[in-house]
């Protein structure tokens, strides 16, 4: 796995988690043909949780912060990958001048570094995934009571996931009021990359 692949994979995951951002909504709206809706059904409300997160200030902050952390990880791994690549190239140019035993010893040591790097890259990928999950879970936790508040304010008798519907009358959609409430409650919170090695060592000392 290369650092470029790692960064691309994580960026795709982050984009998927926040797929219904404001920009995505605008593109979809521009591409979708005009639809005439029937009368709104009294008491029935629809809402998109993903859309609310993606359109909210805190959701956009989380996406930006995740991208920053992924870039930091990429830089860390790229530096080590470059050093290993340089050493491998140097060793190859010295193959004919080194004795067989010396060459095999250095090649074995290099393989140890490669294996260690691959384990680190895999761990960083897991850490990025856990970081993303926890950050989005925090947003969901902040949003949960707001969903109930908006539900009651709009006098809903039923709340349906908009993402599971093909079409719905926009008058029944309470996503934007939820975004407004979420923006008033929280716009950002501090978080950094999860460190799985520290968690593992902490568990072993208990």
């Amino acid at each position: 796995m290369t650092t470029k692949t790692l960064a691309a994979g994580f960026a795709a995951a982050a984009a998927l988690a926040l797929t219904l951002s404001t920009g995505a909504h605008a593109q979809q709206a521009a591409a979708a043909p005009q639809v005439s809706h029937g009368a709104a059904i009294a008491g029935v409300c629809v809402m998109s949780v993903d859309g609310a997160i993606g359109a909210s200030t805190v959701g956009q902050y989380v996406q930006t912060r995740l991208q920053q952390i992924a870039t930091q990880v990429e830089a860390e791994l790229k530096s080590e990958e470059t050093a290993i690549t340089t050493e491998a190239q140097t060793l190859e140019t010295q193959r004919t001048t080194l004795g067989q035993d010396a060459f095999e010893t250095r090649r074995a040591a290099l393989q140890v570094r490669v294996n260690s790097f691959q384990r680190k890259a895999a761990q960083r990928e897991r850490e990025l995934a856990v970081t993303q999950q926890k950050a989005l879970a925090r947003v969901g936790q902040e949003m949960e009571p707001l969903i109930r508040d908006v539900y009651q304010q709009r006098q809903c008798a039923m709340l349906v996931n908009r993402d599971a519907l093909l079409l719905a009358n926009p008058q029944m959609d309470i996503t934007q009021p939820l975004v407004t409430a979420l923006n008033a409650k929280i716009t950002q919170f501090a978080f950094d990359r999860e460190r799985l090695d520290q968690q593992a060592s902490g568990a072993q000392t208990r």
Side-chain angles (χ1 to χ4, degrees):
M1 174 184 296
T2 65
T3 54
K4 184 176 181 180
T5 301
L6 172 64
F10 180 69
L16 178 61
L18 299 175
T19 184
L20 294 178
S21 63
T22 305
H25 273 306
Q27 292 176 357
Q28 292 172 3
Q34 293 295 323
V35 175
S36 297
H37 298 278
I41 303 174
V44 177
C45 301
V46 299
M47 182 196 69
S48 170
V49 172
D50 289 343
I53 293 176
S56 69
T57 301
V58 69
Q60 293 169 9
Y61 162 79
V62 166
Q63 185 177 28
T64 299
R65 180 64 183 137
L66 289 172
Q67 291 172 343
Q68 290 173 346
I69 294 173
T71 299
Q72 293 169 358
V73 168
E74 181 182 14
E76 174 196 1
L77 295 179
K78 186 62 177 178
S79 176
E80 187 170 348
E81 182 183 47
T82 299
I84 291 174
T85 300
T86 300
E87 182 177 343
Q89 293 171 344
T90 299
L91 181 59
E92 186 62 28
T93 61
Q94 297 174 345
R95 175 191 286 267
T96 57
T97 58
L98 289 173
Q100 185 65 25
D101 290 344
F103 176 79
E104 292 297 338
T105 298
R106 287 182 57 180
R107 185 169 67 173
L110 179 60
Q111 186 60 51
V112 170
R113 286 189 64 186
V114 170
N115 294 342
S116 176
F117 171 77
Q118 290 175 339
R119 289 193 298 270
K120 178 186 287 189
Q123 177 170 301
R124 291 293 182 269
E125 186 173 17
R126 292 193 298 271
E127 289 173 343
L128 290 173
V130 172
T131 302
Q132 179 190 23
Q133 292 167 4
K134 289 191 174 183
L136 293 176
R138 168 67 187 277
V139 178
Q141 182 181 11
E142 298 287 350
M143 192 166 55
E144 184 176 357
L146 301 179
I147 294 175
R148 293 194 296 268
D149 291 344
V150 174
Y151 177 90
Q152 294 177 90
Q153 292 167 5
R154 293 305 178 98
Q155 298 182 331
C156 301
M158 177 187 297
L159 182 57
V160 181
N161 179 9
R162 190 186 72 191
D163 301 328
L165 302 174
L166 291 177
L167 292 170
N169 190 316
Q171 295 179 9
M172 300 159 55
D173 197 327
I174 64 171
T175 302
Q176 186 53 50
L178 177 60
V179 172
T180 301
L182 185 58
N183 287 345
K185 182 179 183 182
I186 186 172
T187 58
Q188 65 181 48
F189 56 92
F191 69 94
D192 206 341
R193 191 187 83 234
E194 293 293 319
R195 312 291 174 129
L196 298 182
D197 51 351
Q198 294 178 2
Q199 294 176 13
S201 61
Q204 292 174 358
T205 57
R206 293 174 186 173

